[in-house]
Structure formats: C-alpha cells, structure tokens
Amino acid sequence: GAVVSQHPSRVICKSGTSVKIECRSLDFQATTMFWYRQFPKQSLMLMATSNEGSKATYEQGVEKDKFLINHASLTLSTLTVTSAHPEDSSFYICSADTGTSGRGDTQYFGPGTRLTVL
Amino acid sequence: GENVEQHPSTLSVQEGDSAVIKCTYSDSASNYFPWYKQELGKGPQLIIDIRSNVGEKKDQRIAVTLNKTAKHFSLHITETQPEDSAVYFCAAPYLWPMNYGGSQGNLIFGKGTKLSVKP
C-alpha cells in the first residue's frame, strides 16, 4: 500500500517556540493531504485540508495563523505550530489522498507526531 | 453533511471468537467506506474498504459488509488474535463544492471501538 512518513515522531519544546512537522508521501504523489489532531482516547479531528500549490482549507475553530500549513510539492506538506502553548500538546497525524478525484476518500495515514509543550 | 455513528465503543472478546463493529452513516450519496486500525501511539492503518457497488468484501480474517438501503456497514473479524487488539475506526466520505466548480472531500470518522482480545 501507499506509504506516508512523518517527521519528527516525537518533539518536546518550550512554550512560545514554533515547531514544524513534515508529512511526506514516499511512493506516490498526493494532490491533497490532510492534518488531524487526536486527543487521548478520542477520534481523529480534522484540522485542515492541504492542496498542493494553494492555500489550505481550515476547519471551523482552527486558527490558521497558529497552525501554518504549506503544501509546496506533491510529496510534502508541513504543519508549523507557532508560539506553542501547553494546550497545543497533542498527537498530530497527517494523511495523503492517493486518488486524483479530489474526493479525499483514499487516505493513507502517517505514523503521527507526539508534540509536548512544556 | 455526513454523520457517522459507531458501536460499540468498547468490545472484549476471547481469542478465537468473532468480533463485529457496526457503523451507520447519514448521506445516501456516500459511496466509499474504509476501516482503519490504530494501535497505541501509531497512526491509523487502512485495513479494508468497500465501495457501494458491492455488498461484501473479504480479506482473510477480515470482512466488511454494506447495506446501502439501511445506510450501515460493519467490520467482521473472525478467529480473533491478541494482535487484533487496537482501536478501530470506520469512516465515510463528505464532499463539498469548490469555487472553481470542482469538489473537495474528506473522511468523517466514527468515534472508534476499542477491541480487546483476551488470550
């Protein structure tokens, strides 16, 4: 199946700093990538939809200035958590859509990034 | 929009028994239904999916059934093993129109089922 990687897998940072998380599709090109946030024992919460070469579409309640998304190529999307605070601590997961229809249904997920803000 | 409900939230079975997880969806236009398995500290892994032109799909010990009339689909795991213990998520697609005339979609996930297989 399609392989999606994320880096780093874990990151600990101080409050007020910024953290960048990379999501790469390793063996396919992804026009669309998605960023999710997951709290313990909860389902996946979609944060934003990222299309290559265009601005990301953010879900209601997600601050676009705080969670900066860049989808510069068909194999790489980045999420930058700016001025991180302890409440931003969470498990962040990206996924990539292997389809070309824009339906976003054929998603493969990365392994996730555990962010801890002290 | 799409609404996905998943039951049960927890399921405990004895090794070798079968496990069934059920999901319902609200959008009759939905035509793709994936199931994901998530182990602790890892990302979700696609384990099986079904499109609306078929009623059942099998892959070894895993099967998914779809009832489009009733708008529900189920995951069936037979001969369960301890390594099947994980959280399972169902999902259904949600599409919305874009300004340029195309459409964009994503998946709406159920709340998850924690499956425990006791040796």
Side-chain angles (χ1 to χ4, degrees):
Chain A
V3 180
V4 177
S5 70
Q6 264 182 259
H7 179 80
S9 57
R10 292 176 180 270
V11 57
I12 301 172
C13 68
K14 293 182 179 180
S15 186
T17 61
S18 293
V19 175
K20 180 185 282 190
I21 302 170
E22 291 186 349
C23 177
R24 293 182 185 271
S25 56
L26 298 186
D27 52 1
F28 66 99
Q29 293 184 329
T31 305
T32 306
M33 289 185 173
F34 302 86
W35 286 96
Y36 295 83
R37 183 174 181 177
Q38 188 177 36
F39 292 103
K41 298 184 180 181
Q42 292 192 22
S43 188
L44 300 135
M45 184 189 81
L46 180 66
M47 298 175 66
T49 301
S50 168
N51 287 299
E52 186 264 339
S54 62
K55 291 183 179 180
T57 302
Y58 289 81
E59 294 300 299
Q60 194 172 8
V62 178
E63 299 176 59
K64 59 180 68 176
D65 294 331
K66 181 164 187 62
F67 298 99
L68 300 178
I69 291 172
N70 187 312
H71 194 156
S73 77
L74 288 172
T75 59
L76 173 65
S77 177
T78 60
L79 168 68
T80 302
V81 183
T82 62
S83 187
H85 288 99
E87 56 265 31
D88 298 325
S89 298
S90 192
F91 193 51
Y92 292 88
I93 315 172
C94 73
S95 70
D97 182 2
T98 60
T100 56
S101 65
R103 290 199 304 265
D105 55 10
T106 46
Q107 292 184 38
Y108 286 84
F109 284 82
T113 296
R114 173 72 59 192
L115 171 63
T116 303
V117 184
L118 302 177
Chain B
E2 180 69 276
N3 183 44
V4 177
E5 304 225 347
Q6 183 172 346
H7 299 281
S9 56
T10 60
L11 179 59
S12 182
V13 300
Q14 208 66 36
E15 182 178 1
D17 288 349
S18 295
V20 180
I21 304 170
K22 298 181 179 180
C23 283
T24 60
Y25 61 98
S26 59
D27 187 353
S28 56
S30 291
N31 59 3
Y32 174 74
F33 307 94
W35 283 92
Y36 290 88
K37 174 184 180 182
Q38 186 178 28
E39 297 176 344
L40 192 62
K42 298 183 179 180
Q45 177 190 6
L46 179 67
I47 56 172
I48 197 167
D49 56 16
I50 191 168
R51 293 199 181 269
S52 60
N53 56 345
V54 297
E56 182 177 4
K57 183 177 177 180
K58 275 187 177 181
D59 183 3
Q60 299 182 0
R61 295 186 298 108
I62 295 173
V64 55
T65 58
L66 171 65
N67 183 327
K68 284 219 73 178
T69 304
K71 288 190 281 188
H72 68 70
F73 57 110
S74 300
L75 176 70
H76 304 254
I77 306 175
T78 59
E79 300 173 30
T80 53
Q81 301 167 3
E83 49 265 39
D84 293 329
S85 297
V87 179
Y88 291 81
F89 292 99
C90 64
Y94 171 57
L95 279 172
W96 69 90
M98 298 294 282
N99 292 336
Y100 58 76
S103 61
Q104 176 71 68
N106 62 39
L107 290 171
I108 305 298
F109 288 85
K111 291 186 185 292
T113 297
K114 183 177 180 181
L115 173 64
S116 300
V117 180
K118 298 180 179 179

